[in-house]
Structures are given as C-alpha cells and as structure tokens.
Amino acid sequence: MSDPAPPRRPTLDLRAFTPARVALGRSGASVPTRALLDFTLDHARARDAVHAAFDVPPLVADLSALGLVVTEVRSRAVERSDYLRRPDLGRQLDAGSAELLARGASAPCQLAVVIGDGLSAAAVHAHAVALLTRLLPLLAADGAVAIGRVVVASGARVALGDEIGAILGAHMVAMLIGERPGLSAPDSLGAYLTFAPKPGRTDAERNCVSNIHHAGLSYDEAAFKIAWLVREGLARKVTGVALKDESADRAPRRIGTAWPE
C-alpha cells in the first residue's frame, strides 16, 4: 500500500493566518517547551488584565482634551473581588453615583457614551480614547449625532450603561468596555449599543462591536461600524436582533492610520 499524499496545504501554513494555538508540534507526549512557555505567559497576562487597577484620572484628562464633558461614577461593586464574585453589583450604580447623574441630567440627549473598565482595564487604557478620536468625526458628519454626556464607570458590567442612559434620558447608550481577556488578546475592547436604555434590557436588545485591539478590529473599522449602528439605531428606534449590521455594504472612510506606530 502506498503512503497517502501529503496535504496540499500543510497545517503549519495556518499559523500565518491565526493567532490560535495550531500546529504547535510535540515533544514526546507533550507540547514543545516553547509552546508551553508561551501559553503560561499569555495565561498570566490574561489574569493580570482581569485584576489590573482602573486608572481613571488620566483617562478623564484625555477625554476632556477631546472637548467632552466627563462624569465619574462607580457601581456597587466596591472591591475587585466583589466585582468578580457578584456580577449583579457591577450592573447597578451606587447611590452616590446615581444621585450625581440625576443632579446633572438636563434635556434628553441622542447618545450617551459610557466607558467602563469591565474585565480588562488595560483594554480601556489602550484603546478607548483612540477609538473615540476616530468615532467623533463620523458621528458629527452628515446630520450630527449629539453626544450628551461621557461617563467613566468603575466596576462596570455592560448593563450598567442601561441605568446610566435611563438617568440621563439618552435615546441610546454606547458602552465601551474591556472584554473578558483571552489567551491571544488580554486587551480587547468591546462596544455595546442599546436603544432606549433602562434597567432590565437584555443582550438580545444590544448590538456589539467586539475584538477592538491591535491584532483584531482596527480603530477605523470599529468606529465606522459603531457610527453606522448608532445612526441606523436612532433612525429605526431599535438595536439588537432587530438591527442587522449592514455597514459592510459601504467602504469605511479612513481617518489617519489604522494603528499608531
């Protein structure tokens, strides 16, 4: 019996197209030492991202430099351990923050932007300001979408944006939040859009633009998708399963380079 022909595309070729752990090879019954060390390092980076502190003052300063009015709030998850063990606490504002927002609320606005640490404060520090820098001109063009308030939230889960948006009277809330770290991306940022935010909204009522990081979706691509979803969501008065992302039908307008050198 003749040996089978080798595959036309060796498995090793896949490594050029994905950061996933494929074609690692083996050493006896285990993986090679290099692959094991890489896995251990990536696992440590992911754990560090989950527990990293949220450095709010520099973020607020950078946002203010963009001409945005920024308010700081926090959830009922006082400690990081509370946040990780009690997800429900991260979905509710503490009493002082709710009062602060209520006192500052004025006329209803089209869009409120909430920036929360989520499960990776590193993602917010790395990408939130750069993404907003690309997003703001797109929202301002062609019948401007007005951002009423930018809120920086500590100890935040995605649903915290629902309460914030409801207090501010926002027609839509955009939550930029650090996503659960993976072994290939400990600093991935996600954007969650919810029309008519109020406590009790489900994930089926949101649109998500995820995997915004250096090896994932670029700032320009993400900003284009978010701006399209915001405009269409406001026009149709829906988000989530009722709003299909058809932004790919248009070519994104580039603003500067995709990633800083």
Side-chain angles (χ1 to χ4, degrees):
M1 180 181 294
S2 60
D3 294 333
R8 295 183 63 183
R9 295 199 64 126
T11 307
L12 289 174
D13 286 357
L14 294 176
R15 299 180 68 179
F17 301 99
T18 176
R21 285 174 163 78
V22 297
L24 297 179
R26 65 180 183 179
S27 179
S30 185
V31 295
T33 301
R34 171 52 57 189
L36 178 60
L37 293 176
D38 288 344
F39 175 87
T40 303
L41 177 60
D42 288 342
H43 186 260
R45 286 172 172 162
R47 288 177 60 90
D48 287 348
V50 168
H51 294 282
F54 192 25
D55 194 4
V56 173
L59 177 60
V60 170
D62 290 341
L63 294 170
S64 299
L66 296 178
L68 299 169
V69 178
V70 185
T71 303
E72 298 178 43
V73 301
R74 68 170 306 109
S75 75
R76 295 189 181 184
V78 178
E79 303 293 340
R80 194 62 177 175
S81 57
D82 299 330
Y83 174 84
L84 297 173
R85 292 171 182 157
R86 292 281 306 276
D88 59 307
L89 297 179
R91 302 183 185 113
Q92 305 169 63
L93 287 169
D94 70 8
S97 295
E99 292 174 6
L100 175 65
L101 288 178
R103 287 198 305 269
S106 54
C109 60
Q110 286 183 291
L111 180 68
V113 175
V114 182
I115 302 175
D117 48 356
L119 287 165
S120 176
V124 177
H125 295 149
H127 309 305
V129 173
L131 174 61
L132 277 175
T133 301
R134 268 74 167 185
L135 179 60
L136 292 175
L138 295 180
L139 293 176
D142 305 326
V145 173
I147 296 179
R149 188 81 67 87
V150 175
V151 177
V152 175
S154 300
R157 299 277 178 174
V158 172
L160 188 67
D162 297 337
E163 184 179 358
I164 293 172
I167 292 173
L168 296 178
H171 297 166
M172 182 182 291
V173 64
M175 167 68 88
L176 307 183
I177 193 167
E179 297 182 305
R180 185 184 305 276
L183 293 176
S184 60
D187 63 344
S188 180
L189 187 73
Y192 293 81
L193 308 173
T194 309
F195 182 78
K198 63 180 181 180
R201 290 293 190 199
T202 68
D203 288 342
E205 297 171 289
R206 315 185 200 284
N207 287 91
C208 177
V209 179
S210 63
N211 291 303
I212 305 167
H213 58 92
H214 288 85
L217 202 62
S218 73
Y219 299 144
D220 288 328
E221 292 170 317
F224 183 84
K225 284 180 174 290
I226 294 168
W228 189 93
L229 288 166
V230 168
R231 290 181 184 282
E232 292 300 314
L234 290 171
R236 304 183 197 183
K237 302 186 187 317
V238 292
T239 47
V241 296
L243 179 62
K244 181 180 179 182
D245 181 4
E246 297 171 338
S247 61
D249 294 343
R250 299 182 181 181
R253 180 159 57 116
R254 303 301 247 178
I255 303 174
T257 57
W259 295 107
E261 295 297 332

